[in-house]
Amino acid sequence: NITKPNLIFKDDLLTGENIDRLTRKLKDLGDIFNDKAAFAQMDGETVVYDVESSFPVAHGTEGGLFYGITYIHPGKVGQEYFMTKGHFHEIRNRGEYYCTLEGEGMLLLMDENGNTRAEKMIPGSIHYIPGNTAHRTANVGEQILSFSAFWPSDAGHDYGTISEKGFSEILIEQEGQPVLVPNIKQ
Ligand code: PAN
Ligand code: ZN
């Protein structure tokens, strides 16, 4: 029941070989949400996001590019919006572009000194993620948030740092608005 963006290129890029599809459910994301009591009340089978990626060259190839579309469902755990795990790239200095396709979101960016900032995602918005910057996206709207991503094929993903410590700030809903507040877990 995901509304897929009506893009000319999408079906061509995301068919054929070397396509990877993954689904992340609440039960896979136990460590990212702060409100453990609210989390415990929810169905672990709830889908939080899907990612469809195209890997035209082998992982680790220098000079190639990967392409993926992420679909984040609307929802919250307590006050915290449904969001991606978030990661640094394994080769830390590798950057990335995101382009919002549909919905409303926030892109959280944290540098290696733990400074977090957020960019608003609306259809058509383009976001440059510099190297050495952890990135996570949250759906702050009431429909699917989808965005395309383009990253170097040798970037790799380091999830460990974020799964241990999280971001220095978390994105929660207060009086109907998304706000960044310090992450007390840190
Ligand atoms: C994106 C992300 C995607 C899912 O393609 O991998 O949005 O988020 P997580 O990987 O944090 O679960 C990207 O940033 N690739 O590098
Ligand atoms: Zn990335």
Side-chain angles (χ1 to χ4, degrees):
N1 56 350
I2 296 173
T3 320
K4 302 233 166 153
N6 188 15
L7 283 184
I8 301 165
F9 302 118
K10 181 186 165 291
D11 287 339
D12 289 341
L13 270 173
L14 294 179
T15 53
E17 289 171 25
N18 308 318
I19 298 302
D20 183 69
R21 291 190 169 80
L22 71 82
T23 296
R24 297 254 183 252
K25 298 180 175 181
L26 270 179
K27 65 179 184 190
D28 308 317
L29 300 169
D31 49 348
I32 70 168
F33 293 104
N34 272 29
D35 190 337
K36 303 299 175 203
F39 184 86
Q41 297 297 313
M42 296 178 71
D43 180 0
E45 293 301 322
T46 306
V47 173
V48 179
Y49 61 98
D50 302 284
V51 189
E52 295 179 327
S53 307
S54 167
F55 303 123
V57 295
H59 288 269
T61 304
E62 198 184 315
L65 290 168
F66 289 157
Y67 169 75
I69 298 184
T70 303
Y71 304 87
I72 309 180
H73 291 245
K76 279 181 293 177
V77 177
Q79 292 172 285
E80 207 171 5
Y81 298 99
F82 277 13
M83 60 184 173
T84 59
K85 285 166 88 125
H87 58 269
F88 284 99
H89 290 150
E90 210 170 302
I91 300 185
R92 277 289 195 278
N93 68 5
R94 297 302 193 253
E96 183 162 3
Y97 272 108
Y98 282 0
C99 177
T100 313
L101 301 172
E102 62 178 349
E104 222 188 313
M106 292 290 261
L107 168 62
L108 267 61
L109 298 164
M110 182 176 74
D111 67 24
E112 289 190 293
N113 297 319
N115 301 308
T116 299
R117 65 181 200 278
E119 293 182 3
K120 177 97 185 130
M121 300 174 80
I122 56 168
S125 64
I126 293 172
H127 304 269
Y128 175 60
I129 300 165
N132 306 297
T133 304
H135 38 292
R136 157 179 286 166
T137 42
N139 184 344
V140 303
E142 281 163 14
Q143 59 171 112
I144 293 271
L145 168 71
S146 65
F147 59 93
S148 52
F150 308 85
W151 70 100
S153 45
D154 63 354
H157 293 96
D158 165 17
Y159 291 103
T161 310
I162 294 301
S163 90
E164 269 170 44
K165 287 189 159 184
F167 279 60
S168 59
E169 303 197 33
I170 61 169
L171 189 71
I172 59 168
E173 186 184 73
Q174 274 182 0
E175 293 166 5
Q177 295 299 318
V179 286
L180 275 181
V181 297
N183 182 2
I184 48 166
K185 216 171 91 179
Q186 274 207 332

